[in-house]
Amino acid sequence: MATLSAAFASWKPAASFINQTKGLTYRAKVASIGTSRLNFPSSRSSRLHIRCAAKPEIVNKVLEIVKRQLALSNETSLAPESKFSEIGADSLDTVEIVMCLEEEFSISIDEDNSQNINTIQDAADLIDQLVQQKTEVA
Amino acid sequence: MLPSNLVARRLVPFALPSLPSAPLPSPREAHLWCVKPDELKDASLLQEYMKILSPCEKENVLSVKGEVLQKCALLSRVLVRTTLARCLWIEGLSSGCLFHARLDTDYRINPRSFKFKKNRFGKPEVEWQHNDVSFLPSLQFNVSHTSSLIACGITVNDPIGIDVEEKQRRPNADVLSLASRYFSPPEVQYLKSLVDSDSQKIEFIKLWTLKEAYVKALGRGFSGAPFRKFTIRFETRGDLVSEKLKTGEFRIAVEPVSDHETLTANWQFALAEITGSHFAAICMGIDENDTGKEHDLLKLKVWKTLPYMEDECLSDSEAVIKISGLS
Protein backbone atom coordinates (compact mmCIF):
# COMPACT_ATOMS: atom_id res chain seq x y z
CA MET A 1 0.00 0.00 0.00
CA ALA A 2 1.04 3.56 -0.47
CA THR A 3 2.45 5.15 2.61
CA LEU A 4 0.59 7.54 4.84
CA SER A 5 1.96 10.60 3.16
CA ALA A 6 0.16 9.58 -0.02
CA ALA A 7 -2.98 10.36 1.89
CA PHE A 8 -1.73 13.46 3.58
CA ALA A 9 0.10 15.09 0.70
CA SER A 10 -0.82 15.52 -2.94
CA TRP A 11 1.24 12.46 -3.84
CA LYS A 12 4.24 10.64 -2.60
CA PRO A 13 5.69 7.62 -4.42
CA ALA A 14 5.26 4.21 -2.92
CA ALA A 15 8.56 4.41 -1.18
CA SER A 16 7.61 7.94 -0.36
CA PHE A 17 10.98 9.44 0.05
CA ILE A 18 11.97 10.91 -3.27
CA ASN A 19 12.45 14.63 -3.09
CA GLN A 20 11.02 15.17 0.34
CA THR A 21 11.76 18.67 1.42
CA LYS A 22 14.06 18.89 4.34
CA GLY A 23 13.56 22.54 5.06
CA LEU A 24 12.38 23.78 8.39
CA THR A 25 8.73 24.51 8.83
CA TYR A 26 8.12 27.84 10.47
CA ARG A 27 5.85 27.46 13.39
CA ALA A 28 4.80 30.31 15.59
CA LYS A 29 4.92 29.43 19.25
CA VAL A 30 2.44 31.32 21.29
CA ALA A 31 1.98 31.37 25.04
CA SER A 32 -1.62 31.89 26.00
CA ILE A 33 -2.00 34.52 28.69
CA GLY A 34 -4.91 33.85 30.99
CA THR A 35 -7.99 33.31 28.91
CA SER A 36 -6.92 35.49 26.01
CA ARG A 37 -6.33 33.69 22.79
CA LEU A 38 -4.78 34.84 19.56
CA ASN A 39 -6.79 34.06 16.48
CA PHE A 40 -4.83 32.68 13.60
CA PRO A 41 -6.16 32.85 10.07
CA SER A 42 -8.39 29.90 9.37
CA SER A 43 -6.41 27.67 7.09
CA ARG A 44 -8.64 26.40 4.34
CA SER A 45 -5.99 26.92 1.72
CA SER A 46 -3.03 24.63 1.47
CA ARG A 47 -0.52 27.43 1.36
CA LEU A 48 1.14 29.16 4.25
CA HIS A 49 0.24 27.75 7.60
CA ILE A 50 1.09 29.46 10.80
CA ARG A 51 -0.02 27.28 13.61
CA CYS A 52 0.25 27.48 17.31
CA ALA A 53 2.28 24.55 18.60
CA ALA A 54 -0.19 22.07 19.99
CA LYS A 55 -0.57 21.40 23.68
CA PRO A 56 1.60 18.52 24.91
CA GLU A 57 -1.42 16.45 25.85
CA ILE A 58 -2.63 16.54 22.25
CA VAL A 59 0.80 15.58 20.96
CA ASN A 60 0.96 12.71 23.43
CA LYS A 61 -2.50 11.49 22.46
CA VAL A 62 -1.54 11.50 18.77
CA LEU A 63 1.66 9.60 19.61
CA GLU A 64 -0.37 7.07 21.58
CA ILE A 65 -2.89 6.53 18.78
CA VAL A 66 -0.19 6.22 16.11
CA LYS A 67 1.81 3.77 18.23
CA ARG A 68 -1.28 1.65 18.82
CA GLN A 69 -2.30 1.62 15.17
CA LEU A 70 1.17 0.71 13.95
CA ALA A 71 1.66 -1.75 16.83
CA LEU A 72 4.93 -0.13 17.77
CA SER A 73 6.62 -1.31 20.92
CA ASN A 74 7.30 1.10 23.75
CA GLU A 75 10.98 0.92 22.94
CA THR A 76 10.39 2.31 19.44
CA SER A 77 11.38 5.93 19.41
CA LEU A 78 8.52 8.00 18.12
CA ALA A 79 8.94 11.72 18.41
CA PRO A 80 6.67 14.60 17.45
CA GLU A 81 9.09 15.29 14.59
CA SER A 82 8.71 11.75 13.25
CA LYS A 83 7.49 11.73 9.68
CA PHE A 84 4.61 9.38 8.91
CA SER A 85 6.37 8.38 5.72
CA GLU A 86 9.38 7.15 7.68
CA ILE A 87 7.63 5.08 10.32
CA GLY A 88 5.94 2.62 8.00
CA ALA A 89 2.35 3.84 8.03
CA ASP A 90 0.56 2.86 4.84
CA SER A 91 -2.64 4.36 3.51
CA LEU A 92 -4.92 2.04 5.47
CA ASP A 93 -3.01 2.88 8.67
CA THR A 94 -3.46 6.54 7.78
CA VAL A 95 -7.20 6.43 7.47
CA GLU A 96 -7.52 4.39 10.65
CA ILE A 97 -5.35 6.91 12.48
CA VAL A 98 -7.42 9.79 11.07
CA MET A 99 -10.66 8.11 12.13
CA CYS A 100 -9.27 7.49 15.63
CA LEU A 101 -8.19 11.09 15.92
CA GLU A 102 -11.59 12.31 14.72
CA GLU A 103 -13.35 10.16 17.30
CA GLU A 104 -10.95 11.05 20.08
CA PHE A 105 -11.22 14.79 19.57
CA SER A 106 -14.74 14.97 18.06
CA ILE A 107 -13.52 16.76 14.98
CA SER A 108 -13.66 16.24 11.25
CA ILE A 109 -10.47 16.06 9.22
CA ASP A 110 -11.11 16.35 5.51
CA GLU A 111 -8.64 15.73 2.70
CA ASP A 112 -7.90 19.43 2.27
CA ASN A 113 -6.89 19.80 5.89
CA SER A 114 -4.67 16.78 5.78
CA GLN A 115 -2.64 17.97 2.79
CA ASN A 116 0.09 19.44 4.92
CA ILE A 117 0.49 16.79 7.55
CA ASN A 118 3.90 15.20 7.32
CA THR A 119 4.83 14.67 10.95
CA ILE A 120 3.13 13.78 14.22
CA GLN A 121 3.55 17.39 15.28
CA ASP A 122 1.70 18.55 12.15
CA ALA A 123 -1.20 16.28 13.02
CA ALA A 124 -1.30 17.53 16.61
CA ASP A 125 -1.18 21.15 15.48
CA LEU A 126 -4.08 20.61 13.07
CA ILE A 127 -6.14 18.88 15.75
CA ASP A 128 -5.48 21.68 18.19
CA GLN A 129 -6.60 24.18 15.59
CA LEU A 130 -9.76 22.25 14.71
CA VAL A 131 -10.64 21.81 18.37
CA GLN A 132 -10.18 25.54 18.96
CA GLN A 133 -12.30 26.38 15.92
CA LYS A 134 -15.00 24.10 17.21
CA THR A 135 -15.06 25.71 20.64
CA GLU A 136 -15.06 29.18 19.11
CA VAL A 137 -18.08 28.35 17.00
CA ALA A 138 -19.94 26.84 19.95
CA MET B 1 24.17 0.86 8.50
CA LEU B 2 24.36 -2.92 8.27
CA PRO B 3 21.29 -4.42 9.90
CA SER B 4 22.30 -6.52 12.84
CA ASN B 5 20.54 -9.67 11.66
CA LEU B 6 22.45 -9.92 8.41
CA VAL B 7 25.71 -11.73 8.24
CA ALA B 8 28.54 -10.78 5.93
CA ARG B 9 29.45 -14.24 4.75
CA ARG B 10 31.74 -13.43 1.93
CA LEU B 11 35.37 -12.69 2.63
CA VAL B 12 36.18 -11.93 -0.97
CA PRO B 13 34.82 -8.86 -2.76
CA PHE B 14 31.29 -9.51 -3.87
CA ALA B 15 30.29 -8.59 -7.38
CA LEU B 16 26.81 -8.82 -8.78
CA PRO B 17 26.34 -11.33 -11.57
CA SER B 18 24.70 -10.23 -14.79
CA LEU B 19 21.08 -9.33 -14.59
CA PRO B 20 19.06 -11.87 -16.59
CA SER B 21 16.76 -10.37 -19.16
CA ALA B 22 13.00 -10.52 -18.86
CA PRO B 23 10.27 -10.45 -21.46
CA LEU B 24 8.59 -7.21 -22.36
CA PRO B 25 4.88 -7.12 -21.59
CA SER B 26 2.71 -7.70 -24.66
CA PRO B 27 0.06 -5.14 -25.55
CA ARG B 28 -2.78 -5.17 -23.01
CA GLU B 29 -0.68 -7.24 -20.65
CA ALA B 30 0.70 -6.43 -17.20
CA HIS B 31 3.75 -8.00 -15.62
CA LEU B 32 4.11 -8.17 -11.87
CA TRP B 33 7.52 -8.62 -10.28
CA CYS B 34 7.58 -9.40 -6.57
CA VAL B 35 10.26 -9.41 -3.90
CA LYS B 36 9.97 -10.83 -0.41
CA PRO B 37 12.21 -8.74 1.88
CA ASP B 38 12.71 -11.70 4.22
CA GLU B 39 14.64 -13.44 1.45
CA LEU B 40 17.33 -10.76 1.52
CA LYS B 41 19.66 -12.09 4.18
CA ASP B 42 23.09 -11.37 2.75
CA ALA B 43 24.74 -8.17 3.92
CA SER B 44 27.11 -7.99 0.97
CA LEU B 45 24.16 -8.28 -1.42
CA LEU B 46 22.48 -5.44 0.43
CA GLN B 47 25.60 -3.33 0.00
CA GLU B 48 25.66 -4.05 -3.72
CA TYR B 49 22.01 -3.14 -3.99
CA MET B 50 22.77 0.24 -2.45
CA LYS B 51 25.17 0.94 -5.29
CA ILE B 52 22.34 0.69 -7.81
CA LEU B 53 20.52 3.65 -6.28
CA SER B 54 20.96 7.29 -7.15
CA PRO B 55 22.54 9.49 -4.44
CA CYS B 56 19.14 10.98 -3.65
CA GLU B 57 17.54 7.55 -3.31
CA LYS B 58 20.37 6.40 -1.05
CA GLU B 59 19.90 9.38 1.19
CA ASN B 60 16.17 8.71 1.39
CA VAL B 61 16.63 5.03 2.20
CA LEU B 62 19.03 5.90 5.00
CA SER B 63 16.56 8.37 6.46
CA VAL B 64 13.93 5.68 6.95
CA LYS B 65 13.72 4.55 10.55
CA GLY B 66 14.25 0.93 11.42
CA GLU B 67 16.04 -1.90 9.67
CA VAL B 68 12.99 -3.65 8.25
CA LEU B 69 11.54 -0.48 6.76
CA GLN B 70 14.94 0.55 5.45
CA LYS B 71 15.36 -2.79 3.73
CA CYS B 72 11.92 -2.43 2.15
CA ALA B 73 12.71 1.07 0.96
CA LEU B 74 15.95 -0.15 -0.60
CA LEU B 75 14.36 -3.18 -2.27
CA SER B 76 11.59 -1.04 -3.64
CA ARG B 77 14.04 1.08 -5.63
CA VAL B 78 16.16 -1.91 -6.63
CA LEU B 79 13.08 -3.71 -7.90
CA VAL B 80 11.95 -0.80 -10.06
CA ARG B 81 15.38 -0.20 -11.56
CA THR B 82 16.22 -3.83 -12.24
CA THR B 83 12.77 -4.69 -13.63
CA LEU B 84 12.91 -1.82 -16.11
CA ALA B 85 16.48 -2.63 -17.10
CA ARG B 86 15.92 -6.32 -17.69
CA CYS B 87 12.80 -5.81 -19.80
CA LEU B 88 14.56 -3.35 -22.03
CA TRP B 89 17.71 -5.34 -22.62
CA ILE B 90 16.51 -7.31 -25.60
CA GLU B 91 14.75 -4.28 -27.01
CA GLY B 92 17.93 -2.31 -26.88
CA LEU B 93 19.83 -5.06 -28.70
CA SER B 94 17.24 -5.72 -31.35
CA SER B 95 16.93 -2.09 -32.23
CA GLY B 96 20.57 -2.20 -33.21
CA CYS B 97 21.65 0.63 -31.01
CA LEU B 98 24.71 -0.97 -29.56
CA PHE B 99 26.67 2.09 -28.60
CA HIS B 100 24.09 3.80 -26.51
CA ALA B 101 25.55 5.32 -23.36
CA ARG B 102 23.15 3.41 -21.10
CA LEU B 103 24.35 0.02 -22.23
CA ASP B 104 27.01 -1.84 -20.27
CA THR B 105 29.80 -3.60 -22.11
CA ASP B 106 27.59 -6.65 -22.53
CA TYR B 107 24.87 -4.45 -24.05
CA ARG B 108 22.60 -4.65 -21.04
CA ILE B 109 20.83 -1.56 -19.82
CA ASN B 110 22.44 -0.44 -16.60
CA PRO B 111 19.80 -0.20 -13.84
CA ARG B 112 21.65 2.77 -12.40
CA SER B 113 21.12 4.68 -15.62
CA PHE B 114 17.43 5.38 -15.14
CA LYS B 115 16.31 8.79 -14.06
CA PHE B 116 12.93 9.33 -12.52
CA LYS B 117 10.64 12.29 -12.29
CA LYS B 118 7.20 12.95 -10.97
CA ASN B 119 4.19 13.95 -13.02
CA ARG B 120 2.45 17.15 -12.04
CA PHE B 121 0.53 15.33 -9.35
CA GLY B 122 3.59 13.61 -8.01
CA LYS B 123 3.31 10.15 -9.61
CA PRO B 124 6.76 8.69 -10.29
CA GLU B 125 7.65 8.06 -13.94
CA VAL B 126 10.75 7.24 -15.92
CA GLU B 127 12.43 10.33 -17.25
CA TRP B 128 13.38 9.04 -20.66
CA GLN B 129 16.58 10.49 -22.01
CA HIS B 130 16.58 12.08 -25.44
CA ASN B 131 18.27 9.12 -27.10
CA ASP B 132 15.84 6.64 -25.57
CA VAL B 133 12.76 7.94 -27.28
CA SER B 134 13.68 6.60 -30.67
CA PHE B 135 14.35 3.04 -29.69
CA LEU B 136 13.03 2.13 -26.25
CA PRO B 137 9.38 1.22 -25.64
CA SER B 138 7.47 3.41 -23.23
CA LEU B 139 7.41 1.34 -20.06
CA GLN B 140 4.87 2.32 -17.45
CA PHE B 141 5.36 1.14 -13.89
CA ASN B 142 3.91 1.33 -10.42
CA VAL B 143 5.18 0.01 -7.09
CA SER B 144 3.44 -1.15 -3.97
CA HIS B 145 4.80 -2.60 -0.79
CA THR B 146 3.94 -4.26 2.45
CA SER B 147 6.61 -5.27 4.94
CA SER B 148 6.42 -8.82 3.59
CA LEU B 149 6.10 -8.25 -0.16
CA ILE B 150 7.15 -5.55 -2.60
CA ALA B 151 5.66 -5.57 -6.08
CA CYS B 152 6.35 -3.67 -9.27
CA GLY B 153 3.82 -3.75 -12.08
CA ILE B 154 4.84 -2.83 -15.62
CA THR B 155 3.13 -2.41 -18.97
CA VAL B 156 4.11 -1.03 -22.32
CA ASN B 157 2.28 2.27 -22.87
CA ASP B 158 -0.77 1.60 -20.70
CA PRO B 159 -1.00 3.55 -17.42
CA ILE B 160 -0.87 1.19 -14.47
CA GLY B 161 -1.54 1.25 -10.76
CA ILE B 162 -1.06 -1.65 -8.36
CA ASP B 163 -1.63 -2.35 -4.72
CA VAL B 164 -0.65 -5.34 -2.62
CA GLU B 165 -1.83 -6.24 0.84
CA GLU B 166 -1.38 -9.14 3.21
CA LYS B 167 -4.34 -11.51 3.02
CA GLN B 168 -4.38 -11.70 6.80
CA ARG B 169 -4.60 -7.95 7.27
CA ARG B 170 -7.49 -7.01 9.48
CA PRO B 171 -8.15 -3.35 10.20
CA ASN B 172 -8.21 -2.43 13.88
CA ALA B 173 -11.29 -0.31 13.37
CA ASP B 174 -14.71 -1.72 12.52
CA VAL B 175 -14.79 -2.19 8.73
CA LEU B 176 -18.34 -0.94 8.34
CA SER B 177 -17.34 2.29 10.13
CA LEU B 178 -14.31 2.61 7.90
CA ALA B 179 -16.40 1.91 4.82
CA SER B 180 -19.10 4.37 5.82
CA ARG B 181 -16.46 7.02 6.32
CA TYR B 182 -14.38 6.34 3.21
CA PHE B 183 -16.19 4.15 0.67
CA SER B 184 -19.06 4.91 -1.70
CA PRO B 185 -22.63 4.00 -0.67
CA PRO B 186 -22.95 0.99 -3.05
CA GLU B 187 -19.74 -0.43 -1.63
CA VAL B 188 -20.99 0.01 1.92
CA GLN B 189 -24.19 -1.78 0.92
CA TYR B 190 -22.18 -4.61 -0.58
CA LEU B 191 -20.19 -5.07 2.62
CA LYS B 192 -23.32 -4.90 4.75
CA SER B 193 -24.87 -7.65 2.61
CA LEU B 194 -22.16 -10.07 3.74
CA VAL B 195 -23.36 -12.02 6.72
CA ASP B 196 -20.03 -13.25 8.06
CA SER B 197 -17.91 -10.57 9.74
CA ASP B 198 -14.67 -12.15 8.60
CA SER B 199 -15.93 -12.12 5.00
CA GLN B 200 -16.70 -8.45 5.49
CA LYS B 201 -13.11 -7.81 6.55
CA ILE B 202 -11.65 -9.80 3.66
CA GLU B 203 -13.89 -8.11 1.09
CA PHE B 204 -13.03 -4.75 2.62
CA ILE B 205 -9.34 -5.43 2.08
CA LYS B 206 -9.99 -6.54 -1.52
CA LEU B 207 -12.02 -3.40 -2.24
CA TRP B 208 -9.36 -1.30 -0.58
CA THR B 209 -6.59 -2.68 -2.78
CA LEU B 210 -8.68 -2.22 -5.93
CA LYS B 211 -9.53 1.38 -5.01
CA GLU B 212 -5.93 2.08 -4.14
CA ALA B 213 -4.77 0.62 -7.48
CA TYR B 214 -7.22 2.87 -9.34
CA VAL B 215 -6.07 6.01 -7.53
CA LYS B 216 -2.44 5.14 -8.21
CA ALA B 217 -3.17 4.40 -11.86
CA LEU B 218 -4.85 7.79 -12.21
CA GLY B 219 -1.75 9.28 -10.65
CA ARG B 220 -3.51 12.08 -8.86
CA GLY B 221 -2.91 11.02 -5.29
CA PHE B 222 -5.29 10.13 -2.53
CA SER B 223 -6.85 13.57 -2.27
CA GLY B 224 -7.14 13.91 -6.05
CA ALA B 225 -9.38 10.87 -6.25
CA PRO B 226 -11.28 10.55 -2.97
CA PHE B 227 -12.36 6.98 -2.32
CA ARG B 228 -15.91 8.08 -1.69
CA LYS B 229 -16.29 9.49 -5.19
CA PHE B 230 -16.09 6.22 -7.12
CA THR B 231 -17.46 2.70 -6.83
CA ILE B 232 -15.70 -0.53 -7.64
CA ARG B 233 -18.17 -3.03 -9.03
CA PHE B 234 -17.90 -6.75 -9.61
CA GLU B 235 -19.94 -7.37 -12.73
CA THR B 236 -20.91 -10.67 -14.21
CA ARG B 237 -20.50 -11.08 -17.91
CA GLY B 238 -23.91 -10.67 -19.47
CA ASP B 239 -23.87 -13.82 -21.56
CA LEU B 240 -23.17 -16.28 -18.77
CA VAL B 241 -25.63 -17.87 -16.41
CA SER B 242 -24.57 -17.15 -12.86
CA GLU B 243 -24.33 -20.77 -11.71
CA LYS B 244 -21.88 -21.56 -14.45
CA LEU B 245 -19.47 -18.78 -13.65
CA LYS B 246 -15.99 -19.96 -12.84
CA THR B 247 -13.71 -18.08 -10.53
CA GLY B 248 -12.28 -15.08 -12.25
CA GLU B 249 -15.14 -14.65 -14.67
CA PHE B 250 -16.26 -11.47 -13.00
CA ARG B 251 -15.25 -8.26 -14.60
CA ILE B 252 -14.26 -5.52 -12.21
CA ALA B 253 -15.23 -2.04 -13.28
CA VAL B 254 -15.05 1.42 -11.81
CA GLU B 255 -17.94 3.82 -11.76
CA PRO B 256 -17.35 7.42 -10.74
CA VAL B 257 -20.13 8.56 -8.44
CA SER B 258 -20.84 11.81 -10.16
CA ASP B 259 -19.67 13.61 -13.25
CA HIS B 260 -16.11 14.07 -12.12
CA GLU B 261 -13.74 15.27 -14.79
CA THR B 262 -10.72 13.60 -13.26
CA LEU B 263 -12.33 10.26 -12.40
CA THR B 264 -12.50 8.30 -15.60
CA ALA B 265 -14.01 4.89 -16.23
CA ASN B 266 -11.82 3.48 -19.01
CA TRP B 267 -9.83 1.21 -16.74
CA GLN B 268 -9.44 -2.53 -16.49
CA PHE B 269 -8.99 -4.27 -13.14
CA ALA B 270 -7.73 -7.58 -11.89
CA LEU B 271 -7.41 -9.16 -8.48
CA ALA B 272 -5.20 -12.13 -7.68
CA GLU B 273 -3.84 -13.95 -4.68
CA ILE B 274 -0.05 -14.23 -4.68
CA THR B 275 1.89 -17.02 -2.92
CA GLY B 276 -1.08 -17.68 -0.67
CA SER B 277 -0.16 -14.65 1.37
CA HIS B 278 -1.12 -11.47 -0.46
CA PHE B 279 -3.84 -9.89 -2.53
CA ALA B 280 -2.63 -7.97 -5.55
CA ALA B 281 -4.87 -5.52 -7.35
CA ILE B 282 -3.91 -4.25 -10.78
CA CYS B 283 -5.53 -1.37 -12.64
CA MET B 284 -4.61 -0.77 -16.26
CA GLY B 285 -5.75 1.96 -18.64
CA ILE B 286 -7.88 0.97 -21.61
CA ASP B 287 -6.92 2.65 -24.83
CA GLU B 288 -10.08 4.39 -26.00
CA ASN B 289 -9.03 3.86 -29.60
CA ASP B 290 -8.99 0.11 -29.12
CA THR B 291 -12.59 -0.45 -30.06
CA GLY B 292 -14.47 -3.48 -31.26
CA LYS B 293 -13.25 -5.99 -28.73
CA GLU B 294 -14.73 -5.94 -25.29
CA HIS B 295 -11.93 -5.67 -22.79
CA ASP B 296 -13.17 -8.01 -20.17
CA LEU B 297 -10.19 -9.69 -18.76
CA LEU B 298 -6.66 -8.55 -18.13
CA LYS B 299 -3.62 -10.63 -19.01
CA LEU B 300 -1.17 -10.96 -16.17
CA LYS B 301 2.21 -12.63 -15.68
CA VAL B 302 3.85 -12.85 -12.28
CA TRP B 303 7.41 -13.48 -11.16
CA LYS B 304 9.04 -13.67 -7.78
CA THR B 305 12.60 -12.43 -7.72
CA LEU B 306 15.61 -11.61 -5.62
CA PRO B 307 17.27 -9.28 -8.16
CA TYR B 308 20.47 -10.72 -9.63
CA MET B 309 20.15 -13.84 -7.51
CA GLU B 310 17.08 -15.75 -8.56
CA ASP B 311 13.84 -15.53 -10.48
CA GLU B 312 10.81 -17.73 -10.31
CA CYS B 313 7.90 -17.53 -12.71
CA LEU B 314 4.71 -17.86 -10.69
CA SER B 315 2.18 -17.57 -13.50
CA ASP B 316 0.12 -20.69 -14.19
CA SER B 317 1.14 -22.16 -10.86
CA GLU B 318 -0.69 -22.46 -7.58
CA ALA B 319 1.22 -19.43 -6.39
CA VAL B 320 -1.08 -17.18 -8.40
CA ILE B 321 -4.79 -17.63 -7.82
CA LYS B 322 -7.03 -15.59 -10.07
CA ILE B 323 -9.82 -13.98 -8.13
CA SER B 324 -11.42 -11.62 -10.62
CA GLY B 325 -10.87 -9.92 -13.89
CA LEU B 326 -8.09 -12.15 -15.21
CA SER B 327 -7.96 -14.19 -18.39
Side-chain angles (χ1 to χ4, degrees):
Chain A
M1 291 197 171
T3 63
L4 182 133
S5 50
F8 281 159
S10 55
W11 180 274
K12 290 276 165 67
S16 100
F17 44 60
I18 293 178
N19 295 331
Q20 269 181 1
T21 55
K22 306 240 172 172
L24 295 174
T25 307
Y26 174 78
R27 208 167 267 128
K29 295 207 178 213
V30 176
S32 57
I33 303 163
T35 56
S36 71
R37 186 177 285 163
L38 288 176
N39 288 320
F40 281 80
S42 136
S43 58
R44 276 291 168 207
S45 75
S46 57
R47 292 195 175 77
L48 179 65
H49 282 265
I50 302 173
R51 290 196 193 119
C52 182
K55 302 176 191 48
E57 53 264 31
I58 294 186
V59 177
N60 287 336
K61 192 43 106 174
V62 176
L63 283 168
E64 182 194 310
I65 287 173
V66 170
K67 264 194 180 170
R68 195 171 62 219
Q69 174 63 32
L70 302 182
L72 300 175
S73 66
N74 283 329
E75 288 83 43
T76 312
S77 65
L78 199 64
E81 307 79 54
S82 297
K83 286 189 182 161
F84 287 105
S85 58
E86 289 169 357
I87 59 175
D90 67 17
S91 54
L92 184 52
D93 290 316
T94 307
V95 299
E96 291 204 68
I97 289 169
V98 167
M99 239 178 62
C100 270
L101 293 174
E102 288 180 326
E103 276 165 31
E104 179 70 33
F105 295 99
S106 304
I107 50 173
S108 177
I109 302 175
D110 60 36
E111 277 93 8
D112 282 343
N113 275 337
S114 53
Q115 290 268 20
N116 297 300
I117 299 183
N118 294 309
T119 65
I120 306 252
Q121 185 70 52
D122 290 339
D125 292 348
L126 174 64
I127 290 163
D128 198 3
Q129 187 180 3
L130 291 173
V131 166
Q132 284 192 24
Q133 283 175 1
K134 208 173 64 128
T135 52
E136 278 161 23
V137 167
Chain B
M1 196 306 261
L2 277 189
S4 53
N5 63 336
L6 293 186
V7 174
R9 276 189 240 120
R10 290 183 172 78
L11 297 177
V12 296
F14 178 83
L16 288 173
S18 298
L19 190 63
S21 68
L24 206 56
S26 308
R28 316 293 317 131
E29 184 178 74
H31 285 188
L32 196 68
W33 287 81
C34 305
V35 170
K36 293 203 169 180
D38 288 345
E39 292 179 2
L40 173 58
K41 296 186 174 103
D42 191 321
S44 26
L45 181 57
L46 187 144
Q47 296 284 38
E48 290 301 309
Y49 280 165
M50 283 296 279
K51 295 177 188 170
I52 298 171
L53 271 46
S54 70
C56 184
E57 286 171 341
K58 258 183 252 183
E59 198 186 313
N60 286 319
V61 164
L62 293 173
S63 75
V64 173
K65 310 276 188 295
E67 294 172 6
V68 170
L69 292 178
Q70 223 178 56
K71 197 160 69 160
C72 286
L74 167 63
L75 280 171
S76 188
R77 298 316 302 158
V78 170
L79 183 62
V80 172
R81 287 178 171 276
T82 53
T83 305
L84 292 171
R86 59 200 303 177
C87 290
L88 292 173
W89 177 54
I90 291 177
E91 279 300 304
L93 260 185
S94 64
S95 71
C97 185
L98 298 178
F99 300 104
H100 192 275
R102 305 201 30 219
L103 299 178
D104 286 338
T105 47
D106 60 353
Y107 311 120
R108 294 169 197 273
I109 301 268
N110 188 337
R112 283 181 206 86
S113 69
F114 288 99
K115 290 194 185 334
F116 296 92
K117 62 176 182 178
K118 286 192 270 192
N119 74 1
R120 61 193 177 105
F121 303 104
K123 181 177 183 182
E125 295 173 344
V126 178
E127 185 172 23
W128 298 106
Q129 309 304 300
H130 176 69
N131 291 336
D132 293 336
V133 173
S134 52
F135 80 99
L136 289 179
S138 172
L139 283 185
Q140 305 295 314
F141 74 93
N142 195 238
V143 181
S144 175
H145 53 74
T146 67
S147 55
S148 48
L149 186 88
I150 301 165
C152 178
I154 51 166
T155 67
V156 175
N157 293 324
D158 302 311
I160 182 172
I162 70 165
D163 193 53
V164 292
E165 191 47 68
E166 287 170 4
K167 245 181 78 175
Q168 301 303 322
R169 177 99 182 241
R170 298 288 180 268
N172 295 325
D174 170 54
V175 296
L176 289 181
S177 303
L178 277 171
S180 303
R181 172 75 172 79
Y182 289 104
F183 283 9
S184 72
E187 289 165 345
V188 178
Q189 286 313 309
Y190 168 68
L191 289 173
K192 280 184 176 165
S193 74
L194 301 168
V195 175
D196 180 57
S197 78
D198 208 49
S199 300
Q200 277 184 349
K201 291 179 179 131
I202 293 172
E203 294 303 305
F204 175 89
I205 295 292
K206 285 182 188 172
L207 273 176
W208 184 275
T209 56
L210 286 161
K211 291 171 85 73
E212 188 77 13
Y214 173 63
V215 170
K216 292 175 75 183
L218 277 175
R220 287 171 175 268
F222 202 68
S223 53
F227 272 20
R228 205 182 292 112
K229 295 279 199 295
F230 63 92
T231 297
I232 295 286
R233 288 196 186 284
F234 294 87
E235 296 172 353
T236 57
R237 287 167 60 175
D239 56 334
L240 294 170
V241 178
S242 55
E243 305 93 73
K244 291 181 187 167
L245 283 171
K246 302 189 291 268
T247 317
E249 293 284 336
F250 288 86
R251 185 177 82 106
I252 307 172
V254 67
E255 187 184 292
V257 169
S258 55
D259 214 9
H260 211 292
E261 59 172 33
T262 58
L263 298 183
T264 48
N266 54 321
W267 298 90
Q268 205 169 11
F269 291 82
L271 189 65
E273 188 187 299
I274 309 288
T275 61
S277 56
H278 290 78
F279 291 130
I282 297 109
C283 175
M284 199 163 83
I286 299 174
D287 187 350
E288 280 155 335
N289 298 324
D290 216 341
T291 55
K293 196 180 155 199
E294 198 188 348
H295 296 289
D296 279 351
L297 303 171
L298 192 149
K299 289 182 287 180
L300 179 71
K301 291 200 171 134
V302 185
W303 285 265
K304 186 165 77 75
T305 181
L306 188 61
Y308 293 95
M309 295 290 109
E310 62 183 70
D311 298 328
E312 189 187 337
C313 182
L314 301 183
S315 312
D316 303 320
S317 78
E318 287 166 353
V320 178
I321 298 174
K322 298 170 186 175
I323 300 174
S324 286
L326 284 166
S327 69

